[in-house]
Amino acid sequence: MKPNFKLLFCFILVFLLFKSNSVNGQDTAIEVSQNSDFPVKEGWNFLVEPYAMFPNMSGEVGLGELPDVSFNASPDEIFSNLKMGAMLYLEATHGKWNINTDLLYMNVAEGIDPGNYIVSGTVSAKQLGWETAGLYSVVPNLQVGVGVLLNSIESEVNINRYMIGGGTGNSNKTLSETWVDAMIIASFVNKPGSKFLYKLRGEVGGFGISGDSNFAWQVQGYAGYRFSELFQLTAGYRVIGLNYATGSGSDRFLFDDDTYGGVVRFGFNL
């Protein structure tokens, strides 16, 4: 999917979230019924949610003067080459306000698709994504706000390619970049205290505002069940898109990646 279509998709999603709640436009207060499945405490409520993602990854990486390499990996391929992974979501709510942070770290290696005079090779990445966001409930089911997404990626490309004059040779390169994107966020969620849980969250950012980040976007959709005042379980699907390019010559760094797949989340309400 081209970046322009990604942008259009995210804006349509945000528009639909607003539209679906427009009939409640005059009711801006958070109302929790006394008949809610679970009581909602006054003051701050907290959610701790470790989770697991079963990702597919596809895109392009370009480092220095090496040719750009394409990759396309399934969850089986990623887990067979996974060196380390950690994922954690934290949320604090108080009335209409919601503050949340999401940490994702993966250290993976993947095979490279042959092409561009490339015979074979691998691309590896240590990827840290950390987002902190503040949201406000404009109606009971709809939250809107902004966030800051930090990405830190160290990528290595190791390729065997055809050489001028015949034969093949090996080339490798390692570069790292860290950047921050401002994100616009909309989230459609169940009312507080509900037994049956759902969330549809879309966000978009990049646009070169923070420098060399061309585009960043994310869509998440979950449904689940709260078993007790403490524990809940949700499952769904998540798509993360990043397009970042900077530098030239030996310092050139390109990372254009879509990560997508199923997610299982284990929630603890405190």
Side-chain angles (χ1 to χ4, degrees):
M1 189 184 292
K2 298 296 184 181
N4 286 341
F5 291 108
K6 294 176 183 176
L7 176 60
L8 179 61
F9 175 81
C10 290
F11 280 155
I12 289 175
L13 175 63
V14 173
F15 172 78
L16 289 176
L17 291 175
F18 277 104
K19 191 68 174 178
S20 65
N21 287 275
S22 60
V23 294
N24 298 320
Q26 296 179 348
D27 182 13
T28 58
I30 296 293
E31 296 181 1
V32 180
S33 170
Q34 294 180 353
N35 298 320
S36 295
D37 297 313
F38 295 98
V40 178
K41 298 182 297 183
E42 294 185 5
W44 288 98
N45 291 263
F46 301 94
L47 173 65
V48 178
E49 231 177 6
Y51 63 94
M53 186 174 183
F54 304 90
N56 301 269
M57 299 181 75
S58 63
E60 281 189 328
V61 170
L63 300 182
E65 296 175 346
L66 295 182
D68 295 349
V69 297
S70 300
F71 58 89
N72 195 334
S74 67
D76 289 343
E77 294 171 319
I78 291 174
F79 281 116
S80 66
N81 295 292
L82 181 66
K83 300 175 182 179
M84 182 179 177
M87 301 170 189
L88 179 65
Y89 175 83
L90 303 174
E91 178 180 282
T93 58
H94 189 290
K96 298 180 183 181
W97 291 98
N98 177 294
I99 299 172
N100 58 81
T101 186
D102 192 348
L103 176 68
L104 183 151
Y105 177 81
M106 292 190 294
N107 184 353
V108 298
E110 304 152 25
I112 292 171
D113 296 335
N116 293 333
Y117 306 104
I118 297 171
V119 181
S120 62
T122 59
V123 56
S124 62
K126 297 178 182 178
Q127 179 176 356
L128 170 68
W130 183 18
E131 182 179 46
T132 299
L135 305 178
Y136 183 80
S137 295
V138 294
V139 292
N141 295 96
L142 178 63
Q143 302 169 338
V144 296
V146 294
V148 176
L149 173 62
L150 180 144
N151 286 293
S152 182
I153 296 174
E154 179 183 297
S155 186
E156 179 181 6
V157 171
N158 191 321
I159 59 174
N160 298 306
R161 57 176 172 167
Y162 295 110
M163 306 299 291
I164 298 175
T168 61
N170 178 266
S171 301
N172 65 80
K173 183 80 172 180
T174 302
L175 287 174
S176 61
E177 287 289 335
T178 299
W179 70 95
V180 174
D181 285 314
M183 308 296 289
I184 302 171
I185 305 168
S187 184
F188 185 57
V189 299
N190 55 268
K191 293 182 180 180
S194 298
K195 182 182 295 185
F196 294 98
L197 310 173
Y198 59 85
K199 177 187 287 187
L200 178 61
R201 174 168 168 153
E203 48 191 283
V204 61
F207 318 116
I209 295 174
S210 60
D212 300 298
S213 178
N214 299 320
F215 194 73
W217 68 289
Q218 186 169 181
V219 175
Q220 305 180 66
Y222 305 104
Y225 189 81
R226 184 170 176 180
F227 295 91
S228 67
E229 290 190 27
L230 174 66
F231 181 68
Q232 66 186 49
L233 179 67
T234 57
Y237 203 82
R238 184 177 189 178
V239 185
I240 306 169
L242 298 174
N243 187 325
Y244 180 86
T246 187
S248 61
S250 62
D251 294 326
R252 184 179 70 96
F253 183 95
L254 166 68
F255 188 82
D256 185 4
D257 172 68
D258 290 336
T259 301
Y260 51 95
V263 179
V264 178
R265 308 175 74 97
F266 307 89
F268 301 89
N269 296 275
L270 305 176

